[in-house]
Amino acid sequence: MGENHVSDNLIRKLILDGTRLDSISSLWGVPMDKLIKIKETIQSQQDRKFMNTFNELRQKYYRMYAPKNENHTEIFASGQNKEVAKKLETIEELRQDILIVDRRVSELKTQLNISRDDTVKFNKIKEELLKERSNITKALFSYLKKLEEIKNQNMSIAQLSEIVKGLAFSELQNDFVVNNSTILNSLGKIKVYYVSAYARKLSPIISGISDVDVLRKLNKEISILNRYDISAQTAKRKINDRIGALNGYRRFISCKQNNDKIAKIINGIIDGSIGYEEASEILQEHVQELVNGRATAYKVSFSDEKERVKMQIKSEIAKSTRTIKNPIESVKQSAMLFECGYAEALSAVVKNLYSNEKYNEARELIEYFRLREDNPSKIANSYEILEKEVICAEIGKCIKQVVTKPRYLQDDEARKLSESRFMQTIYRRIQNSGLRTGAIPLGKNEDKSRDIVLRDIWPESIEQGLLR
């Protein structure tokens, strides 16, 4: 076919898609020297476009890996409204006045009980008590009025936190306040407004907090609202989920270290030291102990508990830092122990291999069992999914190695060009393999509380179609 039948745009698309130049020349009759020039132009354009993407990727990774805003003080340190700050000083003074008067009320109430036999003294204290209660009423109304006045101001999360903590002070719960419907109504409305505003600002940052004590303090602050509010309930749910995730990771480590029977099965499968009959006997015994040990109210069937333990064994084999010594035998043993087909048993073993950077061994193992599958078309998708997992794991390891490598190159332009080419290679590999950035693992963050995937740090400029 002659050169005139192909446009430069089509040639460009073919080159970007990775088509070999000799194939384009042969198929379309385009001179090789022209193709080389077009490719050089394309490469130069791509080098410039991708020049800053690696730096963006690296910065995002370290923000995810070790976020700075990890404690109560730093989380709330920025964005203070100076005008609101001055008004909050006045509001805090009013609150302190209420505390002083309330203590005086408590003292007078004690004196009143003691002096019941002395009518003159009793009446005098009672009069003084009524006067102080009038003072506390005025102070409370002033306090709530000031909070009402600044409701529409743009406040920082720290300022909202200060107000919410102020609304929780115990003096607002004394018997006089509880019996004053006007104050209670005003207080209820103020609480709903400020707690919900605080909860809305708090919700987006909860997933970045890894200190359980801080999370519990935040939960306590929001919990002063004892009525239903969707913003507060959402924030509380997120806090509890986050606490559960952090504690769950620690419980997982603890169980992993202390469960001898499960550990024996896992270690036996990994190092090939246990046979099917022994593993099955230990599994049966362990499951029976679990079933017998449950309280009557939480009884579950033997089969359900057995399935749960099987899942636990598979998960821990997959995550083990010890590489399986004989993968083929481990898959066969697992298939018998878990009472499943090879494809299902293969998953944990393949994950163990690629988690320990044995990517070629993982591919060979997948191919070994694919060729021996009785009905390959029926579960072909299972093998394809595993193959993609291996590719994603390998890409993730490569990205993490480059991102965390010290940048010692003195020639800045040469380093930037190298980084640009790296980003282009990764991008094309992802595109050509049909992979999702959310499926490419980059390990855990510094405190092991969450997984990082490529989607978390992928440059926005690439997502917006920079390559084309």
Side-chain angles (χ1 to χ4, degrees), residues 341-392:
Y342 285 147
E344 186 178 338
L346 185 65
S347 177
V349 179
V350 167
K351 287 177 181 177
N352 173 279
L353 292 173
Y354 71 64
S355 294
N356 289 285
E357 301 180 5
K358 303 290 183 183
Y359 305 109
N360 288 334
E361 289 92 329
R363 291 189 188 92
E364 289 169 3
L365 188 68
I366 293 168
E367 193 60 24
Y368 177 90
F369 282 99
R370 193 207 314 263
L371 293 172
R372 284 156 181 78
E373 189 63 57
D374 292 334
N375 193 350
S377 60
K378 186 177 179 181
I379 54 173
N381 192 43
S382 298
Y383 291 107
E384 289 174 9
I385 290 170
L386 282 175
E387 284 177 332
K388 282 195 173 184
E389 283 184 17
V390 176
I391 295 170
C392 287

Side-chain angles (χ1 to χ4, degrees), residues 440-458:
I440 298 176
L442 298 174
K444 289 186 175 290
N445 64 348
E446 191 173 34
D447 67 4
K448 312 294 183 188
S449 62
R450 66 158 293 175
D451 295 308
I452 303 174
V453 294
L454 186 58
R455 180 179 57 207
D456 295 325
I457 66 170
W458 201 229

Side-chain angles (χ1 to χ4, degrees), residues 59 79 121 206 214 286 304 340 389 420 444:
Q59 288 176 354
K121 190 175 182 181
I206 290 168
V214 169
H286 177 66
D304 286 344
C340 63
E389 283 184 17
S420 174
K444 289 186 175 290

Side-chain angles (χ1 to χ4, degrees), residues 49-88:
K49 288 180 178 179
F50 277 87
M51 192 64 78
N52 297 316
T53 54
F54 179 81
N55 197 43
E56 184 182 347
L57 184 88
R58 196 168 191 267
Q59 288 176 354
K60 280 188 172 183
Y61 173 79
Y62 280 106
R63 282 201 296 272
M64 291 289 299
Y65 178 74
K68 293 179 180 178
N69 293 335
E70 284 293 334
N71 65 56
H72 210 196
T73 306
E74 287 181 342
I75 289 169
F76 298 161
S78 61
Q80 301 285 54
N81 185 324
K82 292 181 180 178
E83 185 181 341
V84 170
K86 290 179 182 177
K87 292 179 180 178
L88 285 180

Side-chain angles (χ1 to χ4, degrees), residues 110-341:
T110 303
Q111 292 175 24
L112 194 68
N113 290 328
I114 296 171
S115 62
R116 286 188 179 277
D117 295 334
D118 187 337
T119 307
V120 176
K121 190 175 182 181
F122 179 85
N123 288 333
K124 186 177 180 182
I125 294 171
K126 187 176 180 181
E127 187 179 340
E128 193 171 348
L129 179 59
L130 290 171
K131 182 180 177 183
E132 292 298 351
R133 280 187 164 176
S134 175
N135 288 337
I136 204 172
T137 302
K138 291 175 184 175
L140 280 166
F141 274 123
S142 296
Y143 174 71
L144 296 172
K145 184 180 179 183
K146 289 292 181 185
L147 288 175
E148 186 72 33
E149 287 174 359
I150 62 169
K151 272 173 55 174
N152 296 322
Q153 298 285 339
N154 182 25
M155 299 183 206
S156 70
I157 194 168
Q159 290 167 335
L160 287 167
S161 173
E162 183 182 338
I163 292 171
V164 168
K165 283 185 283 189
L167 286 166
F169 69 108
S170 61
E171 285 69 25
L172 288 177
Q173 312 305 321
N174 68 44
D175 58 347
F176 172 67
V177 175
V178 169
N179 292 320
N180 190 313
S181 60
T182 307
I183 291 177
L184 278 179
N185 288 336
S186 298
L187 178 61
K189 291 176 182 177
I190 285 290
K191 272 187 180 180
V192 169
Y193 178 84
Y194 280 107
V195 172
S196 59
Y198 180 43
R200 285 195 298 274
K201 284 225 172 184
L202 192 59
S203 282
I205 66 170
I206 290 168
S207 62
I209 303 171
S210 298
D211 188 325
V212 172
D213 290 334
V214 169
L215 290 165
R216 285 180 179 142
K217 287 176 185 176
L218 296 174
N219 202 11
K220 187 177 179 182
E221 289 176 14
I222 297 173
S223 295
I224 72 157
L225 193 63
N226 53 13
R227 54 161 282 181
Y228 182 82
D229 175 78
I230 192 163
S231 301
Q233 295 301 320
T234 300
K236 287 168 76 171
R237 177 178 50 76
K238 285 185 177 181
I239 290 170
N240 289 327
D241 287 349
R242 182 65 173 154
I243 290 172
L246 293 170
N247 287 338
Y249 174 78
R250 296 182 182 105
R251 283 196 299 273
F252 166 75
I253 295 299
S254 175
C255 291
K256 188 176 177 181
Q257 292 169 343
N258 296 321
N259 199 328
D260 293 339
K261 285 187 171 66
I262 292 293
K264 188 171 183 179
I265 296 173
I266 293 165
N267 293 333
I269 291 174
I270 289 172
D271 59 27
S273 64
I274 196 169
Y276 161 70
E277 290 184 1
E278 184 183 0
S280 180
E281 187 178 329
I282 294 172
L283 177 63
Q284 296 285 111
E285 184 183 328
H286 177 66
V287 173
Q288 191 61 58
E289 287 174 358
L290 291 173
V291 172
N292 293 341
R294 288 187 182 273
T296 306
Y298 298 99
K299 279 288 184 185
V300 294
S301 69
F302 183 90
S303 59
D304 286 344
E305 191 68 12
K306 188 177 180 181
E307 286 304 311
R308 188 191 66 77
V309 174
K310 284 180 187 177
M311 292 298 293
Q312 181 187 351
I313 294 171
K314 290 178 190 176
S315 174
E316 294 188 24
I317 287 172
K319 294 176 182 177
S320 176
T321 55
R322 296 172 58 229
T323 306
I324 289 176
K325 289 185 178 179
N326 190 332
I328 292 174
E329 283 305 309
S330 291
V331 172
K332 291 178 179 178
Q333 291 272 29
S334 297
M336 289 191 291
L337 184 64
F338 302 144
E339 301 167 294
C340 63

